[in-house]
């Protein structure tokens, strides 16, 4: 891929000891399209500046907070092209809003915001401003997820009847938030995580994955939330029954207490004439079962995969690719979308089918509906949000 210059990336959050910021940095570097040049990496300004210097950033671009980053970058001729927001959920909205209003493109972590009100406002702001807002729904970066999407859209399994999707983790199976684990602490605080616990943290990934691959729109849901760890303020396990537009059904499970499941993202889609299964821990394979035929393993890298999958692969078959490459595909896609907009052309395949602000808004609306359903013990119909 050729381009005139690297895009300049800023980052808010993702400082020393933080989780996802480092994944963003690796993903942004992988294809050589982004240079991390500025950051306000920590809620503590001194720690944030020290971290910036430890990453080799110029001291004039080692900022104490996001307001300083915006002011400093806005004044530069070589200002950052986009800023990645890698902070806890409740801070996404004010940071993204300030960045967009100052004219910056944004790459925002999921869930887009902690409240539906904020998500609606942010999506509207993104749309009206024309700024690019990508949302890092990681699992939509995998080539074999794109392969499933393309094949389902082409009718390979006929009309979808049911979707089974799950995201289960084990790391919060005990009350680690009460024993000093900062990451678990904000995730179990409704004022910081939002109203949904596991459903907001990881159920949003599963919801997006199911809709992305099937192309179906969720119509209504009935949810049951549980909190298994004593003293926890939010759900740590969610079961959601879903009805999609057109009659397809879905079942979604998110759990933070599923002992033995380190990162259990699993998707199974059953149609009238076949099924696809994709498990994140074997991400290079897609299992295809045609009606009346034999089980087939579609491998990343094989000649039979679509261009949509091929543009998201870097190594030949047999050399596994995984999580970091999937995340890098999002960064490559965001770069392509931003370059295409600047050049006034249509984006190439990598810059298409990206998770954007509207997908983020739908994810937050899903979480709200799940919590409403669980609290009322009633089904909830999703209100389509205007675009
Ligand atoms: P973390 O707790 O490990 O790190 C948060 C970082 O943000 C820390 O460095 C903290 O000092 C900094 N921070 C907090 N407030 C700030 C502010 N106002 N200004 C500047 N820095 C600030 O959190 P983690 O696990 O990395 O999660 C961050 C976000 O990423 C969350 O929204 C989470 O849902 C999302 N996430 C997404 C994943 C994915 O697969 N896409 C995986 C894990 C997290």
């Amino acid at each position: 891929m050729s381009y005139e210059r690297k895009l300049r990336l800023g980052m808010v959050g993702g400082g020393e000891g933080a989780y996802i910021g480092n994944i963003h940095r690796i993903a942004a570097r992988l294809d050589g399209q982004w240079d991390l040049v500025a950051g306000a990496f920590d809620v503590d300004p001194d720690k944030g500046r020290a971290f910036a210097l430890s990453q080799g950033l110029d001291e004039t671009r080692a900022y104490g907070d996001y307001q300083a980053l915006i002011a400093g970058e806005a004044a530069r001729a070589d200002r950052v092209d986009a800023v990645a927001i890698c902070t806890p959920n409740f801070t996404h909205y004010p940071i993204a809003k300030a960045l967009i209003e100052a004219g910056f493109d944004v790459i925002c972590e999921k869930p887009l915001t902690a409240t539906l009100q904020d998500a609606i406002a942010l999506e509207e702001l993104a749309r009206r401003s024309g700024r690019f807002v990508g949302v890092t729904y990681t699992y939509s970066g995998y080539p074999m997820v794109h392969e499933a999407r393309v094949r389902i859209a082409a009718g390979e399994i006929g009309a979808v009847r049911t979707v089974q999707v799950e995201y289960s983790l084990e790391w919060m199976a005990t009350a680690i938030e009460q024993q000093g684990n900062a990451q678990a602490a904000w995730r179990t605080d409704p004022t910081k995580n939002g109203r949904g616990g596991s459903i907001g943290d990881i159920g949003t990934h599963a919801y997006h994955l199911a809709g992305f691959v099937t192309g179906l729109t969720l119509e209504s849901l009935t949810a049951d939330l549980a909190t298994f760890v004593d003293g926890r303020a939010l759900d740590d396990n969610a079961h959601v029954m879903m009805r999609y537009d057109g009659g397809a059904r879905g079942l979604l499970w998110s759990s933070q207490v599923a002992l033995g499941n380190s990162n259990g993202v699993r998707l199974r889609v059953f149609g009238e004439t076949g099924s696809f299964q994709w498990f994140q821990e074997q991400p290079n394979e897609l299992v295809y079962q045609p009606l009346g035929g034999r089980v087939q393993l579609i491998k990343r890298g094989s000649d039979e995969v679509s261009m949509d999958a091929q543009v998201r692969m870097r190594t030949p078959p047999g050399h596994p690719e995984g999580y970091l490459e999937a995340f890098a595909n999002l960064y490559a896609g965001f770069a392509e979308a931003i370059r295409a907009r600047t050049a006034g052309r249509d984006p190439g395949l990598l810059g298409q089918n990206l998770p954007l602000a509207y997908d983020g808004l739908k994810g937050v609306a899903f979480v709200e509906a799940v919590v409403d359903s669980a609290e009322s013990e009633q089904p909830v119909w999703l209100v389509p949000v205007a675009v």
Side-chain angles (χ1 to χ4, degrees), residues 15 19-20 42-43 87 89 92 109-110 136 138 183 186-187:
Y19 173 59
I20 204 68
D42 204 289
V43 68
T87 54
N89 306 350
H92 294 177
E109 261 307 338
K110 47 50 63 180
T136 39
T138 312
Q183 280 148 340
W186 70 253
R187 280 180 168 82

Side-chain angles (χ1 to χ4, degrees), residues 70-94:
I70 290 170
E73 290 300 312
R76 298 181 72 107
D78 61 348
R79 72 205 305 243
V80 289
D81 294 293
V83 178
I85 302 174
C86 303
T87 54
N89 306 350
F90 73 109
T91 64
H92 294 177
Y93 178 62

Side-chain angles (χ1 to χ4, degrees), residues 305-322:
V305 303
S306 63
M307 282 308 293
D308 285 72
Q310 286 188 34
V311 297
R312 294 176 172 85
M313 306 182 306
R314 296 166 189 78
T315 58
H319 300 82
E321 291 186 8

Side-chain angles (χ1 to χ4, degrees), residues 5-10 33-37 61 77-83:
R5 68 165 176 86
K6 291 189 180 191
L7 295 177
R8 291 180 288 266
L9 181 68
Q33 296 216 44
W34 294 91
D35 256 342
L36 178 69
V37 296
R61 301 176 105 170
D78 61 348
R79 72 205 305 243
V80 289
D81 294 293
V83 178

